[in-house]
Every structure is written in C-alpha cells, then in structure tokens.
Amino acid sequence: MNLLAIESSCDETSAAVMVNGELRSNIVSTQLIHTQWGGVVPELASRAHQKSIIPVVHEALQKANINKNELNAIAFTRGPGLLGALLIGTSFAKALALSLDIPLIEVNHMEAHVLAHFIEDPKPSFPFLCLTVSGGHTQLVWVKSPLEMEVIGETQDDAVGEAFDKTAKLIGLPYPGGPMIDKLAKEGNPHRFPFPLGEMPGLDFSFSGIKTAILYFLQKEQKNNPQFIDENKADICASVQKTLIDMLLRKVKKAMKEKNCQQIAIAGGVAANSGLRNGIQELGAQQNWDVFIPAFSYCTDNAGMIAMAGHFKAEAGIFCGQDVSPLPRMDMK
C-alpha cells in the first residue's frame, strides 16, 4: 500500500507518503504570512495552500522515491478546520485520485493527532487515554482502537492553545505566541504570580476565566508600574504556563482514575510545550503510568499523522467517494 496523505486544515500545507505503514516522507510548509496579522487569516491561508500544495506533494513523492502512478490511495483531512483551507486539500486529493483512478480516504484531523503515536516506537496499546491539546481543541479522548475513539472531556469555551496565544498577545509577544511563552518560561519563576485554577464539572475544561484573570492582573499592575510587563516578562510567562498545565494535568489525573488506566498520551500542537511534556512525565512517574509523547514534528499539524490514520482505515477497507466535501466542524465518530 503506497499511500499519499494531504493536510491543509489551517496554516500548514503538508504532504506525506506512507508505504505499508512506514512513513517515507513528511513535508510541511508553514505559512509565515500570518505573523504580521497576529493570527491566522482564513483567506490568506487558503491562497497560501493553493500556492504550496503542488510543490509540497511533489517533494513528498520525490523524497519517498514513489511515482504518482504507484500510489494506491490518497488520504486527506476532511475536517475540522478552516473551510477554505480544507477545500484546497480536499479538492486536490479528489482530482488526483480521480485522474489516477484510486480510492480516497477521509480523515478526521483530531483522530489523526491521536494516531500520530503509532508512527514511531514506542507505541501505546489499546485502550489508552489521550490528552489532545491545540490552538482550537482541548480534549480528553478514550482510545479504544484506531477506529473507535470517545471524547470524555473537552473545553466548553476556549482551547488551551488559544489561552497561550492570547496571553502572549497581551504581553506583546509575536504570533504564534505559545512557543514564545514556553521559551521565556524557562527563564522565569513559575510561582511568582499565582493565578486561579478554573473548575468545570466532570472532565470538561474552561479557559475563558484564566484569560480574563490574566488580563485584569496585567491591567492592575501596569497602572502601578507602566514597565511591569517588560520587567517581569519571564516570570509572567512561567506563572501562566504553570497554571495552564496544572489545569490540564488535574483533569488528566481524574480521568485516569475514572478509567482505571495506566497509559497516558498527549497530542496536538501544545504537546510540543516543554512544560507540559515535563509535567506529564513527572505525573506519570508519580502515578506509575506509561507516558507516550510523540516527536515534535508529529505534534504540530502534519500529513504524517493523516497518513497513519489513513493507513488504519485502508486496512479496514474504509474509503469514501468523490462526493465527499469538507467539514469545518467534524466530530469524532
């Protein structure tokens, strides 16, 4: 099975080639144009995907040493994501599959994040719990098999990645702000500024309250000292990061106990955060859990994870027709 995978849900254009479950190439083109606007502009993202998709697919095939005529199927991100961005990847996948007379495989972007753990060893066994954290999603997923996942907890408002990015904007850091907060947090005191830990019933999350608390805190301190942010930037970042990670890990611990589970995985763009990676490993050591963290390149949006999800679907004989269309809001089945 020579499988081409395409990812275009937001601001990365990516293509990957997988041969019999082994990833041969994973090319990612990150759109830098959004930096000047402080966030992703959907129309600009769509245009950038149009420019990048053919060169990215060509490079992925070339690196894998696979000719397009040797492909057996094409997997693509159907959703969730930006409609215009998804439309580019979906349309390209449909057109190429039609011209080659090979089947299509639709992939849920969030399920693919979870299945990124199966690209390289070590791999979790089923069932396991996965904390999926990104700019648009915060979910606790009970993973029963590659094709059967259940969201048992999720954010009721903002995602944790959005909380990182909005905080970064408040203190004057460029977009994307999450990685900048992580970098500065390493130099700061995480206990300097305590912030309230928001609470939600059950296993759900809420990050709107902590965002408001940070805003009011900064406004109050700047009234007394206009240079407060510049003088305390590292400590602010460290304190905010610690609070957000504590909120995540508290729910993880609760979910692991409820499911009587000993395997925890993290996935999504925020899984690249060093504080979260260290925090989940420390908690795992305390609780005697097996902890699974994907390589950095498989945390952020990439076609390698789409290929892995497509591989499992192909093995099960699950394909889709040419009548498929993008789904900006796509739930896990």
Side-chain angles (χ1 to χ4, degrees):
M1 169 63 75
N2 297 327
L3 178 69
L4 172 68
I6 296 170
E7 154 62 18
S8 68
S9 63
C10 191
D11 59 340
E12 271 93 17
T13 311
S14 183
V17 174
M18 180 167 279
V19 178
N20 296 328
E22 178 187 345
L23 194 62
R24 295 285 182 87
S25 66
N26 188 28
I27 308 301
V28 180
S29 174
T30 301
Q31 301 172 4
L32 302 178
I33 192 170
H34 306 287
T35 303
Q36 60 186 296
W37 303 105
V40 177
V41 181
E43 177 63 24
L44 295 179
S46 300
R47 294 181 183 185
H49 283 305
Q50 282 182 308
K51 292 180 180 179
S52 300
I53 193 162
I54 292 177
V56 166
V57 169
H58 176 75
E59 186 177 352
L61 290 169
Q62 195 172 46
K63 187 174 181 180
N65 196 27
I66 294 288
N67 186 282
K68 67 179 185 294
N69 295 312
E70 297 177 285
L71 294 173
N72 303 115
I74 300 176
F76 66 97
T77 302
R78 186 182 183 189
L82 301 174
L83 177 57
L86 291 168
L87 191 59
I88 303 301
T90 302
S91 299
F92 184 90
K94 289 168 67 174
L96 185 57
L98 188 64
S99 69
L100 296 174
D101 193 25
I102 56 177
L104 286 164
I105 305 170
E106 62 172 274
V107 171
N108 182 304
H109 180 85
M110 300 311 297
E111 293 177 358
H113 270 305
V114 175
L115 296 175
H117 288 90
F118 294 88
I119 296 174
E120 295 179 348
D121 291 327
K123 302 170 184 174
S125 57
F126 300 102
F128 66 93
L129 184 73
C130 185
L131 171 68
T132 309
V133 279
S134 67
H137 295 81
T138 303
Q139 297 177 332
L140 283 167
V141 183
W142 183 237
V143 188
K144 304 173 187 177
S145 77
L147 303 175
E148 190 178 5
M149 304 181 195
E150 177 188 0
V151 177
I152 60 174
E154 60 186 333
T155 181
Q156 296 302 300
D157 40 59
D158 304 320
V160 68
E162 185 181 354
F164 273 111
D165 287 339
K166 291 292 177 65
T167 299
K169 196 169 186 178
L170 289 174
I171 61 179
L173 297 178
Y175 176 86
M180 294 295 295
I181 287 182
D182 189 18
K183 183 179 179 180
L184 286 169
K186 296 174 183 177
E187 306 168 8
N189 176 5
H191 304 284
R192 175 86 183 281
F193 305 115
F195 294 104
L197 294 173
E199 184 54 78
M200 286 289 287
L203 299 174
D204 288 332
F205 301 88
S206 171
F207 295 98
S208 60
I210 181 64
K211 284 190 347 184
T212 303
I214 294 166
L215 172 64
Y216 289 165
F217 166 76
L218 293 175
Q219 289 177 339
K220 178 183 176 182
E221 294 296 334
Q222 282 183 295
K223 284 183 180 179
N224 300 324
N225 175 14
Q227 304 302 316
F228 175 78
I229 291 178
D230 289 335
E231 293 173 359
N232 299 278
K233 195 166 285 186
D235 287 347
I236 295 169
C237 289
S239 299
V240 168
Q241 179 160 292
K242 179 184 184 302
T243 302
L244 293 174
I245 291 171
D246 285 349
M247 292 171 70
L248 293 171
L249 296 185
R250 185 171 57 177
K251 293 291 187 177
V252 165
K253 189 174 180 180
K254 185 175 182 179
M256 291 289 280
K257 184 176 181 181
E258 286 188 13
K259 288 295 186 180
N260 191 26
C261 181
Q262 294 298 310
Q263 294 186 109
I264 178 67
I266 59 173
V270 182
N273 179 279
S274 64
L276 177 57
R277 294 168 85 92
N278 293 335
I280 196 75
Q281 287 177 324
E282 290 172 7
L283 182 60
Q286 294 170 12
Q287 301 294 322
N288 197 30
W289 297 337
D290 293 324
V291 178
F292 298 90
I293 304 175
F296 285 106
S297 58
Y298 303 133
C299 290
T300 52
D301 294 348
N302 69 94
M305 67 184 194
I306 305 301
M308 194 73 255
H311 169 76
F312 284 120
K313 280 196 164 186
E315 279 192 326
I318 301 174
F319 301 96
C320 65
Q322 282 284 335
D323 58 343
V324 68
S325 58
L327 289 177
R329 297 179 183 275
M330 187 178 184
D331 296 328
M332 287 189 179
K333 296 176 181 178

